[in-house]
Amino acid sequence: MEEAIDLRQLMGRLKKRFWLIALLTIIAATISGVVSFFVLTPMYEANTQILVNQAKSKEQFYSSYELQTNVQLIQTYNDIIKSPAILGEVTKELNLDMTPKQLSNQIQVTNSQDSQVAHIVVQDTNARLAVKIANTTAAVFKNEVPKIMSIDNVSILAKAELDESLSPIKPQPLLNIAIAIVVGLMAGIALSFLLDYLDNSIKDEQDIDQIMELPVIGVISLIDEEELKGSSVSSHSLTPARGGSHSV
């Protein structure tokens, strides 16, 4: 029969090593805060939108076939936007000190399902540069795609704008610190249980009862050596007196 877990006993063990749990939690939160505020470089994000539609014609409506064709073209355009043919021109125009492949790592092109709108998302440590890269990429793509695919059906729907109150998307110091507190707390609790499991020493009568399963019939209290010396000095000694009696 398995021994039942006593919650009060578990809480007592955690309380006994509360200092260890608190120390690990504080250390984890401090390290996370220092890294988030002083080590990691803030990253900003800019977003521009392009619209894929059919070339202008005399028809006043789109057929379902034309709409489906535009949606399928979006997937092709996503690959073209991040190609050296487009990003090479972007790096030249902005005089960027990076290769088209390096710039591609900073750009993400996405679109919602069955949507003709593509989002060009650019991340950079400089907010102003992120906006320039996003808008320039959209403009270069719009100009170059007729040469690449012999089709002119791309429009810039919304340009990226620089907001003075723009805050970095990462790192998020408060979130990182909160996660570090939880991790430190869990690590402290786990380490406390591990130390308690490895500790086989007997410290009090409760340990004798729990570990050895023997009844405790008596306890010898520890006597402080200083108190013992003091009591011996203040005690009276018995000396023999005349007439066979003892004086106190």
Side-chain angles (χ1 to χ4, degrees):
M1 182 177 181
E2 296 183 356
E3 184 179 347
I5 298 177
D6 189 347
L7 293 179
R8 288 179 298 181
Q9 182 180 351
L10 292 179
M11 292 303 297
R13 294 177 180 178
L14 293 178
K15 185 178 180 180
K16 184 171 58 176
R17 290 190 170 86
F18 175 77
W19 64 270
L20 177 61
I21 299 175
L23 180 62
L24 289 179
T25 302
I26 294 174
I27 291 176
T30 302
I31 293 176
S32 176
V34 170
V35 171
S36 298
F37 283 106
F38 302 106
V39 177
L40 297 179
T41 304
M43 189 71 66
Y44 297 88
E45 184 176 274
N47 188 334
T48 187
Q49 299 175 346
I50 59 174
L51 174 65
V52 177
N53 52 12
Q54 288 289 346
K56 294 181 180 179
S57 64
K58 296 180 179 180
E59 297 181 2
Q60 301 298 321
F61 60 90
Y62 289 142
S63 65
S64 59
Y65 172 77
E66 292 173 337
L67 182 62
Q68 184 64 29
T69 300
N70 291 335
V71 171
Q72 292 176 350
L73 281 175
I74 282 287
Q75 304 301 325
T76 303
Y77 288 166
N78 290 352
D79 295 331
I80 295 177
I81 290 173
K82 299 185 66 174
S83 67
I86 302 300
L87 298 186
E89 293 297 323
V90 174
T91 56
K92 291 179 182 178
E93 187 167 335
L94 295 179
N95 195 23
L96 300 177
D97 188 18
M98 63 177 71
T99 64
K101 184 176 181 180
Q102 291 173 329
L103 181 58
S104 176
N105 295 330
Q106 297 182 220
I107 298 178
Q108 183 179 7
V109 184
T110 62
N111 67 289
S112 302
Q113 186 176 4
D114 298 332
S115 173
Q116 296 177 249
V117 178
H119 300 263
I120 301 176
V121 182
V122 179
Q123 294 183 357
D124 195 87
T125 56
N126 187 312
R128 188 178 300 275
L129 182 58
V131 171
K132 288 184 178 180
I133 292 175
N135 290 332
T136 303
T137 301
V140 170
F141 174 70
K142 183 177 183 299
N143 295 332
E144 294 295 326
V145 73
K147 305 175 185 178
I148 298 174
M149 299 188 65
S150 300
I151 189 172
D152 185 9
N153 62 343
V154 175
S155 302
I156 298 178
L157 191 62
K159 291 185 177 181
E161 296 181 357
L162 179 63
D163 188 355
E164 297 300 332
S165 60
L166 184 66
S167 58
I169 59 170
K170 57 183 179 181
Q172 298 179 339
L174 296 181
L175 178 61
N176 293 344
I177 292 175
I179 295 175
I181 289 175
V182 174
V183 173
L185 190 63
M186 295 176 60
I189 293 175
L191 184 58
S192 297
F193 281 127
L194 178 62
L195 293 177
D196 189 77
Y197 176 77
L198 298 177
D199 187 5
N200 295 325
S201 60
I202 298 177
K203 300 179 179 60
D204 50 34
E205 59 271 19
Q206 285 80 9
D207 291 341
I208 298 176
D209 186 26
Q210 294 174 3
I211 299 176
M212 303 183 67
E213 298 182 355
L214 296 175
V216 178
I217 59 176
V219 178
I220 301 176
S221 301
L222 294 177
I223 301 176
D224 187 44
E225 187 175 351
E226 295 296 330
E227 293 181 0
L228 183 60
K229 291 181 179 179
S231 61
S232 63
V233 171
S234 61
S235 63
H236 300 283
S237 59
L238 297 178
T239 57
R242 294 179 182 176
S245 62
H246 295 78
S247 60
V248 179

